[in-house]
Amino acid sequence: MTSVETSARRWLRCYRPRPAATVRLVCFPHATGSAPFYRSWARELPDDVEVLAVQYPGRLDRIAEPALTAMPVLADMVTDVLAPRRDLPIALFGHSMGAAVAYEVARRLEQRHAAPLAHLFVSGRPAPCHHRPGTKHLGPDDDLWDELRRLGGTDPAALENPQLRSALLPTLRADYRLIESYRPVDAAPLATPVSALVGDVDTEALVDEVAAWAGYTRAAFDLTVFDGDHFYLVPHRTKVLAGVIRSLGLT
C-alpha cells in the first residue's frame, strides 16, 4: 500500500462505494463533528454520487491522534489526500467549521490543478469577510461545554455523560482554537460554482453574512435559506440533498 493510499484511509470514510458514480462529494464535519455525521448521505444520495466523509484527527478511530489547531495545516493535509483522486470530478460540502475547511481546500485544489471543482457547498458559515475571531478556546471547560450545548446538534443525554465530556473536551478546545484563530487571506474568487445554505434563525451565521459568499466565486452562486437554527440541515436533510443533486446537475 502506498503512502497516498494509507493517508486516504486515515482521512476519508466511504460508507457506500458507488462504482457507477459520476461525481465524488467530499463532506467536512463541524467542530467536534466526525465522519459518521454524513453516513446517511452516502445511503440516500443516488448512484451518481459517491460520498467521502472527512475524518479529522482527534475523534473516534483517530482519538489517539492530536486534533489539529491550525487551519493551514488541516487544509494542506486534506488537499494532499484529495489531489491524486482525479478519476472523478470532486465537489465539496462543509458545515460550520467544515465550510471554512472546505473553502480552503477548494482554493488549494484549484491552485494545484488550475481547474475548477464540480461545486462547493458552504453551510451555516459566514463568508470569509465576515469571519469573527474569538477566544472561547482559551476559556474554562464549563464555558466551552456550555457553548456546545447552546449550539445544539449534540444528543442532550450525551452532554450529561462525564466520560464523554472528558473525551471530547480536548477536541472541542482544539477545534475552537482552529476556527477562532483562522485568518482568511484576501484571495481571488474561485472558478468553482458555490451554493450557500443557512438556517433563518442561525445566530452563528446570519443570512446576509452567508449571502456574502457570492463574492467568493466568479462562477454561479445561489443561496438557500431554510427555517431553523445552526443545525437546520439535520431536520431538513432530504431538502438539502435534493438541492445538492440539483446543483450537481443530476436531475
Side-chain angles (χ1 to χ4, degrees):
M1 185 178 294
T2 68
S3 60
V4 171
E5 289 170 335
T6 300
S7 294
R9 286 174 179 270
R10 287 174 55 222
W11 282 94
L12 304 174
R13 301 291 177 270
C14 182
Y15 295 111
R16 187 172 181 180
R18 298 294 181 105
T22 58
V23 63
R24 194 166 275 135
L25 180 65
V26 183
C27 298
F28 294 76
H30 51 281
T32 72
S34 54
F37 183 76
Y38 295 105
R39 185 192 297 271
S40 62
W41 290 33
R43 184 178 62 252
E44 296 175 26
L45 283 166
D47 289 345
D48 313 71
V49 185
E50 184 171 77
V51 173
L52 297 179
V54 176
Q55 184 74 302
Y56 306 134
R59 59 211 79 200
L60 297 182
D61 57 334
R62 301 189 69 184
I63 191 69
E65 303 175 52
L68 298 174
T69 57
M71 178 68 82
V73 175
L74 175 57
D76 284 348
M77 295 181 83
V78 178
T79 300
D80 287 344
V81 168
L82 293 178
R85 304 177 75 90
R86 302 183 63 189
D87 54 319
L88 291 177
I90 288 180
L92 309 181
F93 185 105
H95 177 64
S96 194
M97 181 188 86
V101 183
Y103 167 66
E104 290 295 334
V105 171
R107 286 202 313 110
R108 285 160 170 76
L109 286 174
E110 275 200 3
Q111 291 170 359
R112 190 171 298 196
H113 299 306
L117 305 180
H119 212 91
L120 171 65
F121 299 92
V122 286
S123 165
R125 184 81 208 159
C129 59
H130 292 293
H131 173 66
R132 296 184 288 272
T135 58
K136 293 186 179 73
H137 66 283
L138 299 174
D141 287 352
D142 286 347
D143 290 355
L144 264 181
W145 201 245
D146 287 344
E147 182 70 5
L148 192 63
R149 181 179 288 105
R150 182 183 68 81
L151 290 176
T154 304
D155 181 356
L159 291 171
E160 302 305 322
N161 184 314
Q163 287 77 29
L164 182 66
R165 170 180 160 132
S166 177
L168 275 184
L169 265 172
T171 301
L172 176 62
R173 190 176 296 280
D175 284 357
Y176 265 75
R177 179 177 176 184
L178 182 144
I179 197 62
E180 290 185 335
S181 64
Y182 172 45
R183 300 292 183 270
V185 300
D186 187 15
L190 297 170
T192 297
V194 174
S195 292
L197 306 88
V198 65
D200 62 350
V201 292
D202 184 352
T203 57
E204 302 304 299
L206 305 180
V207 172
D208 61 339
E209 296 176 333
V210 177
W213 279 103
Y216 289 80
T217 179
R218 58 183 189 274
F221 173 82
D222 62 85
L223 170 71
T224 304
V225 181
F226 296 85
D227 61 294
D229 57 17
H230 193 54
F231 282 93
Y232 76 89
L233 73 172
V234 174
H236 289 299
R237 184 179 67 246
T238 300
K239 292 180 180 177
V240 171
L241 294 184
V244 168
I245 292 168
R246 281 195 303 273
S247 295
L248 294 176
L250 300 176
T251 57

